[in-house]
Structure formats: C-alpha cells, structure tokens
Amino acid sequence: SRISIAPKSTWREYPCFWSVTVAPPSSKKSVVQNHIYKVTKKRDAENEEKDKANQEALKKVQRAWDKMSQTQQEANSENPEINPELYEAQFCKPPRLSILQSCSSESLWKRISEQPNNAGIVWCWDEIAGLLEGLDKYSKGSDTRPLLLSAWSSHMEFMSVQRVDRANSFRLGEQTLSITGNIQPDLFPKHFKLNGDKDGFVSRWLYAIPKKHPRFAKYTNRSVDLQPTFKQLFPKLEQLPETIIVTGK
C-alpha cells in the first residue's frame, strides 16, 4: 500500500483488491489458496511467537519493578529495560500481521489499527459465503458493510471506528485492506446479485471462474512450488519506498 496510482492530481488509487474464486467443491480451491499464502502465514506466526516472548518478558520486568522501593523506581523511571511502562511501549508493539483468517469484523478493525501506517493486510476466507451471510444477516444493525465500502474507497484515510466504550474505539492509519475467498457456484448468485447493486458492494469484486482442466482427475507426479519465489518477493515488497505513479494531469 506504499504505492499508489494518480490518474489525476486529486485522485489516487491504492492496491486494494477484493477477489473471489468461483469453483465447485473438491476443485482444489483451498489447496491453491493455502499454497499462495503459506509463506505469509509462516511469517505472521513467527511474529506472533516473538510477541508472546515479549509479553512474558514484560511480566518479569513488572514483577521486578513491583519489588523495588520507591527510591529505586524513581532512579530507574527513565530506563526502558527496567520501567515496565517504557518497556511495553518500546518492546511490546503489536505483531505485524499480513493475513487474517475468518475473524470477526470487530477483531478485523482492531488488528488493522495495530498495523503500521500504509501497511497492507488480507482478510482471507476459505468459504467467503460465511462473511457475506454475516453481512446480509446483520445489515440493518451492523456497521461492517459501510466500513468495508469506505475502506475500499478511501484507503482508510482519517477513518475511525467509534464505540460506546472508548477503550474499544480506534483510528485507522491509511492501511489497505484486501479480501479474498472461495465460493461454490450454486451460492454465487445468492450473494453476488449483479442487478440492483445499490451500494456498489458487488461491483468492487474481481471474479475468477477457472475452467476445469481436461486432465484434472488424472494423477501426475509433477509438482509446482512457488514458495522460493514468494520468500524472495514479500521482503522486497515491504522495502519499497512510498511512491505515487502519475498517469494523468
């Protein structure tokens, strides 16, 4: 999300993609999806393990701090390795996540708000009908659908999610949300009604409807491994500088 395209001086587009693969059961939709995101999921898991270790270290710092006298605490008040408040601020930042799987919408916005400004995150669904049914079921009382529409259109610029409880309210920092998932052909017309798209939700999606290969059911000992390519690609993408590609005036 560090790169954007500017068709006009007042118009910027960010790499925000909502995609859905339409294919029947047992057509290897999940296998392909898991292979593509395997490297990213592993990196997220490693970041979460580091966060757990940092949280455990914070508990030890807190216990040591509690045993200190007031004089000792005052003498170490500016030391981030001893003062638990400073330690938490410096060493216990939320883990960098790139993939969220089938989480609640409330968790989604909270996790996004914890990511760095201009960071990208993917909401990944094995069966995206679960997300869409939730949006339809709670469309009258939930703010998930309008928040998603706003996130797609505005790059979450100056977006905030306000709750009655201030502790559960947060502001987003120009992150980019992409969504991907699979759906079976018989469920597709129910959730993606191309006629009567009043709020533009359906028109925001990119649809992939792959044809089944004529030799799909035949065994082959050939293998495809994209992991080495992805391992090299993702770190390079994260190192890209913030760039605006101007295509118009």
Side-chain angles (χ1 to χ4, degrees):
S1 63
R2 296 185 182 91
I3 297 179
S4 61
I5 297 176
K8 295 182 179 180
S9 59
T10 57
W11 178 12
R12 291 176 67 176
E13 290 288 345
Y14 294 87
C16 177
F17 299 101
W18 294 3
S19 65
V20 58
T21 300
V22 186
S26 302
S27 57
K28 305 299 182 182
K29 301 187 298 295
S30 299
V31 173
V32 173
Q33 185 184 82
N34 290 334
H35 186 76
I36 291 174
Y37 289 112
K38 184 177 180 179
V39 172
T40 310
K41 290 177 181 178
K42 183 179 179 181
R43 294 178 64 203
D44 283 2
E46 291 173 350
N47 290 338
E48 288 179 316
E49 285 300 316
K50 291 178 182 177
D51 179 61
K52 288 181 181 179
N54 290 336
Q55 294 297 331
E56 288 300 318
L58 174 60
K59 292 179 182 179
K60 293 181 180 179
V61 171
Q62 183 66 61
R63 287 195 293 268
W65 179 264
D66 292 340
K67 293 179 181 179
M68 290 182 181
S69 65
Q70 184 175 352
T71 302
Q72 290 174 317
Q73 289 181 353
E74 290 175 354
N76 290 282
S77 62
E78 301 298 325
N79 190 334
E81 295 185 357
I82 297 179
N83 185 330
E85 184 176 342
L86 299 181
Y87 186 96
E88 183 176 15
Q90 183 167 332
F91 301 109
C92 297
K93 296 178 181 180
R96 174 70 176 102
L97 301 176
S98 300
I99 301 284
L100 293 175
Q101 290 184 282
S102 306
C103 65
S104 68
S105 59
E106 197 70 20
S107 297
L108 170 74
W109 302 118
K110 184 62 176 177
R111 295 289 84 78
I112 291 176
S113 71
E114 294 172 347
Q115 304 308 306
N117 287 358
N118 294 307
I121 199 165
V122 178
W123 200 8
C124 186
W125 291 75
D126 183 21
E127 293 292 341
I128 207 165
L131 165 63
L132 302 172
E133 286 173 0
L135 293 179
D136 293 338
K137 183 177 180 180
Y138 301 107
S139 59
K140 293 183 179 180
S142 172
D143 58 1
T144 300
R145 191 181 184 104
L147 282 173
L148 287 175
L149 292 169
S150 182
W152 190 92
S153 302
S154 66
H155 182 50
M156 302 192 197
E157 186 176 16
F158 306 120
M159 274 185 62
S160 63
V161 179
Q162 298 298 324
R163 299 288 183 255
V164 175
D165 185 357
R166 266 188 157 183
N168 294 323
S169 301
F170 38 84
R171 183 170 295 279
L172 304 172
E174 297 188 343
Q175 295 91 349
T176 297
L177 171 65
S178 292
I179 308 175
T180 188
N182 306 310
I183 195 169
Q184 298 177 21
D186 59 330
L187 295 176
F188 180 80
K190 175 184 176 181
H191 297 292
F192 292 95
K193 299 175 183 178
L194 301 180
N195 294 327
D197 183 22
K198 296 181 180 179
D199 59 3
F201 182 81
V202 175
S203 63
R204 283 164 165 77
W205 291 84
L206 300 173
Y207 306 99
I209 310 177
K211 294 181 179 179
K212 182 180 287 189
H213 194 279
R215 299 182 62 185
F216 173 79
K218 294 184 178 181
Y219 173 78
T220 176
N221 58 2
R222 294 180 179 179
S223 62
V224 177
D225 187 5
L226 299 176
Q227 301 308 307
T229 301
F230 290 147
K231 285 181 180 179
Q232 296 178 22
L233 175 63
F234 292 142
K236 291 181 179 178
L237 290 176
E238 290 186 342
Q239 294 172 6
L240 289 173
E242 186 170 352
T243 304
I244 302 176
I245 301 175
V246 180
T247 61
K249 297 181 180 180

